[in-house]
Amino acid sequence: MRISVIGCGYLGAVHAAAMASLGHEVIGVDIDEAKVEALTSGHPPFFEPGLSELLVKAQEKGRLEFTTDVSRAAEAQVHFVCVGTPQKPGEFAADVTYVDAAVDSLREHLTSTSVVVGKSTVPVGTAERLAGVIAPSGATIMWNPEFLREGHAVEDTLHPNRLVYGVASGQAGQRAVEALDEVYATILSEDTPRMITDFATAELVKTAANSFLATKISFINAMAELCEASGADVTQLADAIGMDERIGRKFLNAGLGFGGGCLPKDIRAFMARAGELGADQAVAFLKEIDSINMRRRVRMVDIARDALDGSFIGKRITVLGAAFKPDSDDVRDSPALAVARLIATQGGVVTVTDPQAIGNAQKSFPELRYEADTGRALSGADAVLLLTEWREYRDLDPAATAELVTGKVLVDGRNVLTPELWREAGWTYRALGRP
Ligand code: UGA
């Protein structure tokens, strides 16, 4: 099929490459010329495992092109809207102006056989509103939320655990289902569950899923606070409650909490939208989820200061990790960088290292010191803070690391190291939610 993808960020670039790899002819459209150039050259402007290979392969086969010219989308029958919906500055609500602009730019290229498929995370009610916007063209709109995780985006796009189609009732909805079934034929042939819903349900599925994940993380981090108050161990607690299949062990890793471009802004946008709908009480608990999450960052700083005898002044602190999670170079609302900045403002001499995210971190927070080489970053440190659990930090050898630092103080912000090993090698090991 001929497909256009409007917006080629994390979501759109992966979606465009994945759809081309399924055999479709894809045109990716973005207003950012530099991004278009980077994607065309097979070097995505962000780190996502497997994406570069997919881009190169699809372009070699002539099935994928990127452009800034939205009129090229006119060739396509199905148009995926993949632009961002960031948090509005100074408010909780999502900024949907990019979604509106994308649909607006498509309008004159739509015909009665076109299908517009929204994938962006939007406030409930957006699809219904946009259906009105494109109505004069006779085109159909549907919402097909995306559940991919950064760092696993290619795998999640090609092998999703479910597909949700939010469609209008009647013939228009039927036409949309048929078109998307054709696009996803390969994925559906793998027995991927497919749910057909109305617009509002599909929009809410996405926000509800992210809210649940955020709640799970903050729940275990609330338990970590109790463990700190009582001397218990939150990692054992998570293992034990997670063995109950109704609870499950996934997303119960206590530590520095969640960040990134999705979970934090999605729960806030959900609260804002619920308020507009007069249902703010229903999700008032998300405010507490947000607060628990933010408190972990402050607690991390307190533990580190405490381990350094009460002051950061003049102390050299090495922060391992800048990305909001491993296997990503995304630093949006990164808990690691939030902690690094707090310590720097309290007089610590902070050096941040990361396998992929230093460039982005430097752009956002030029006031911090960066060092790409882990060994050099560790050299002379008075304390080491593991804040993003990249494989190479989890694999650090306590004895070899001890040779590099000045003070053998380690704070494990993600509960991924084995305390006994570090203590045996002479380290003061501290963590969130563990004695
Ligand atoms: C999240 C969702 O997991 C995806 O399903 C969704 O599609 C995506 O948002 C989106 O809305 O686009 P992502 O932001 O890539 O994906 O990251 P996650 O893997 O969900 O991690 C979020 C944060 O939670 C990270 O900072 C991570 O370190 C933290 N986390 C995760 C924990 O603190 N503990 C855990 O047990 C798990």
Side-chain angles (χ1 to χ4, degrees):
M1 287 184 97
R2 285 173 171 262
I3 289 172
S4 88
V5 174
I6 314 296
C8 296
Y10 283 98
L11 167 58
V14 174
H15 196 68
M19 293 305 105
S21 81
L22 293 177
H24 302 300
E25 282 184 27
V26 183
I27 183 90
V29 183
D30 201 287
I31 50 171
D32 182 343
E33 220 158 287
K35 199 177 277 176
V36 165
E37 268 171 39
L39 291 168
T40 304
S41 71
H43 299 292
F46 45 83
F47 176 72
E48 186 60 50
L51 177 58
S52 187
E53 293 82 340
L54 213 59
L55 285 170
V56 170
K57 232 194 229 165
Q59 290 183 96
E60 274 171 6
K61 290 199 171 143
R63 290 204 199 114
L64 177 62
E65 268 183 80
F66 292 96
T67 177
T68 53
D69 178 7
V70 73
S71 73
R72 295 280 315 278
E75 302 159 16
Q77 183 201 345
V78 176
H79 306 275
F80 286 98
V81 175
C82 296
V83 294
T85 50
Q87 188 175 340
K88 276 187 193 166
E91 348 179 358
F92 269 14
D95 180 356
V96 292
T97 51
Y98 302 108
V99 175
D100 289 352
V103 171
D104 204 44
S105 71
L106 270 177
R107 246 176 358 156
E108 60 173 303
H109 308 294
L110 297 175
T111 68
S112 59
T113 57
S114 312
V115 178
V116 177
V117 185
K119 291 196 79 67
S120 309
T121 302
V122 290
V124 58
T126 304
E128 187 72 56
R129 180 172 61 77
L130 293 174
V133 173
I134 64 160
S137 67
T140 306
I141 193 163
M142 69 188 297
W143 223 262
N144 168 226
E146 181 56 59
F147 305 105
L148 64 81
R149 298 157 300 166
E150 286 180 25
H152 303 269
V154 171
E155 171 73 14
D156 287 352
T157 305
L158 289 172
H159 307 283
N161 46 27
R162 79 286 209 192
L163 293 166
V164 177
Y165 297 6
V167 297
S169 54
Q171 264 193 336
Q174 190 53 37
R175 211 152 54 77
V177 170
E178 281 164 16
L180 206 55
D181 274 355
E182 201 176 331
V183 173
Y184 291 150
T186 311
I187 297 172
L188 288 167
S189 73
E190 294 173 350
D191 288 335
T192 307
R194 183 200 70 169
M195 276 192 73
I196 297 175
T197 70
D198 52 29
F199 288 149
T201 306
E203 290 163 328
L204 278 175
V205 167
K206 172 61 192 256
T207 334
N210 275 3
S211 297
F212 190 85
L213 294 173
T215 302
K216 218 174 163 187
I217 298 168
S218 276
F219 175 83
I220 200 63
N221 282 333
M223 294 305 107
E225 289 188 10
L226 276 166
C227 287
E228 283 157 17
S230 61
D233 184 330
V234 74
T235 61
Q236 290 185 325
L237 181 119
D239 288 344
I241 63 171
M243 282 174 198
D244 182 334
E245 276 181 17
R246 292 170 305 172
I247 296 172
R249 181 62 179 83
K250 287 182 185 159
F251 263 67
L252 277 187
N253 297 322
L256 201 48
F258 59 83
C262 302
L263 262 42
K265 67 111 177 149
D266 285 353
I267 60 170
R268 292 171 194 156
F270 201 13
M271 285 185 267
R273 185 65 185 133
E276 287 169 3
L277 294 169
D280 40 345
Q281 271 192 339
V283 289
F285 72 95
L286 289 175
K287 200 162 178 204
E288 194 51 37
I289 298 304
D290 206 351
S291 302
I292 294 167
N293 193 50
M294 288 302 169
R295 282 207 295 274
R296 292 286 79 190
R297 303 177 183 189
V298 177
R299 176 71 184 148
M300 179 74 205
V301 175
D302 290 345
I303 292 179
R305 194 192 314 98
D306 189 55
L308 284 167
D309 299 327
S311 171
F312 289 121
I313 307 281
K315 302 271 173 57
R316 280 168 298 180
I317 322 290
T318 297
V319 167
L320 300 176
F324 84 102
K325 68 172 192 181
D327 299 316
S328 168
D329 64 354
D330 193 347
V331 300
R332 287 177 293 173
D333 200 5
S334 161
L337 286 178
V339 167
R341 288 170 71 216
L342 279 171
I343 295 177
T345 57
Q346 293 180 25
V349 182
V350 182
T351 302
V352 180
T353 186
D354 191 285
Q356 294 290 340
I358 286 187
N360 284 341
Q362 220 153 14
K363 270 182 239 154
S364 304
F365 306 113
E367 68 274 22
L368 295 170
R369 277 183 53 188
Y370 297 93
E371 170 55 63
D373 181 77
T374 311
R376 276 205 293 273
L378 286 165
S379 169
D382 293 304
V384 179
L385 274 46
L386 194 165
L387 303 187
T388 311
E389 68 278 31
W390 286 91
R391 170 54 58 195
E392 69 170 271
Y393 305 147
R394 302 171 75 134
D395 290 345
L396 279 174
D397 176 57
T401 310
E403 300 284 314
L404 300 169
V405 300
T406 302
K408 287 190 268 181
V409 173
L410 183 114
V411 192
D412 180 0
R414 293 290 178 180
N415 283 311
V416 288
L417 302 176
T418 311
E420 298 75 34
L421 293 179
W422 287 80
R423 289 188 177 128
E424 273 164 24
W427 288 79
T428 299
Y429 173 94
R430 300 281 306 266
L432 290 159
R434 278 171 127 175

